[in-house]
Amino acid sequence: MMSEESGVSGPLWLLAELTYRCPLQCPYCSNPSNYEESLSHELTTEEWISALRQARAMGAVQLGLSGGEPCLRTDLEEIVAEAHKLGFYTNLITSAYNLSSERISNLKEAGLDHIQVSIQGADKRTNDLLAGTACFDRKIAALYHIKEQGYPLVFNFVVHRFNIHQVWDLLTLANMVEADFVEVANCQYHGFAFLNKEALLPTPLQIRQAEEEVARFRSQLSRKMEIFFVVPDYFEEHISPCVNGWGTTMVNVSPNGRVLPCHGAGEMKHLPIPNIREQSLQDIWYHSTLFNQYRGTSWMKEPCASCPEKEKDFGGCRCQALAWTQDAANTDPCCPKSPHHGLIEKLVDPASQRQPLVQLRNTRGTKMEFGELVFRGAAKAT
Amino acid sequence: MSIYLHSIITRNSMYRFQWEETQGCHVLLYPEGLVQLNQTAATVLELCGEETTAAALIETLQERYPQADTLVEDVMSFLHEARDENWIVVRDTE
Ligand code: SF4
Ligand code: SF4
Ligand code: SF4
């Protein structure tokens, strides 16, 4: 079904955030900082299946099953089976905390195409400290099972100030488990991670070293393993485009049915957030204020409005503009032309003061100490 | 490594090849990615769903498109591209 209204075509990508529940507590988690509101009233199996059908009919072909921890949903196999039947390419994005060999094979049978495993550190101690939960051994076991059962293996290493020095060890580990793709992704400071940006942001020197290590590793690699290195926006000279532009490619359904143009848009409290329980996906995609607000370029303010780059980078990230400038229609503050760029410069300046605490992603607001800094222990609630 | 007429070619099983009605074209799907294929690319990739050789591919295509005059070059250059992208696996017959 080709459905185009006023030149807008349907989404290609459905990101289904099945639950925000998660056994891990990563301080860089990009779930919305108010994720607690979505811990109850999760969509039912039938509601998810209806969402899949609607998205597929609109042309979506890639399906990301994420969270939180999607494996906590006991109906995951059922959802995967339906997605497969509909012709989606299904990607499971998981911490592999509770991904047994049996589950991996049941999911394969249901038609799952690919599993992406995130890891928090290259060794048990670092990983478990940064995840706030002991999970390293379970992950390693899962990685072997995934590979054994013939899935393409994508390894996602989220780096920040406290683990970016482990890039080499991590790549060695990825190579050992025969990963097909490795993403060394600097954490993006959206949602929950925004609260911890001062503590988590690496120094420019750390980033340069990591980049060099990635290049060196690539050059001595004897098997086929693609390595991507993603620098945080704060250090980029060029503004990274928002996917293909707001409301063009991606549709995100959150655990309790909120439909968003991107996973960070849950923070947009100035606009009504549509819900798939109340409206069809088709109606939301084409007619909701949230999806139409930042489509195209006519909403832009200066300096974007008269900038020759605007068709290429779409004015950068709306979520970042909102988080830093309290107005999502402003130029992304990462852009040197933004009047708010000084905020970013101050943040990335290695000499600037750093916040000593990171807040773990849990509902208790636990704060923790890393390295040489003084922190509160996880047991002492704040 | 070059690709020869007798090289054995198969589509990389990691990629899924399918027709997408809404996009009006064939696509290759892989972890979190998608490539929209043009007619030649789609025809070639469809044919290498099963083990074949470059020569057999060219012959089939010649029958299908008898008026195409740069077919050999087109197919060979696409095969090189597809191999570099890892969409196909190429083996030599010894
Ligand atoms: S980033 Fe960490 S805490 Fe957040 S959903 Fe993923 S595994 Fe869970
Ligand atoms: S001013 Fe706006 S459009 Fe121009 S480069 Fe910066 S973010 Fe992009
Ligand atoms: S608004 Fe920002 S976070 Fe959302 S999709 Fe665009 S670039 Fe990504």
Side-chain angles (χ1 to χ4, degrees), chain A residues 1-2 56 62 88 113 116, chain B residues 16 18 20 22 32-33:
Chain A
M1 184 183 71
M2 185 78 197
R56 185 69 186 126
Q62 281 282 353
F88 275 109
D113 291 294
Q116 175 187 308
Chain B
R16 195 157 94 206
Q18 74 186 34
E20 276 301 296
T22 33
E32 297 183 72

Side-chain angles (χ1 to χ4, degrees), chain A residues 79-91:
Chain A
I79 293 172
V80 167
E82 181 66 21
H84 179 70
K85 209 164 72 200
L86 290 167
F88 275 109
Y89 188 94
T90 49
N91 306 272

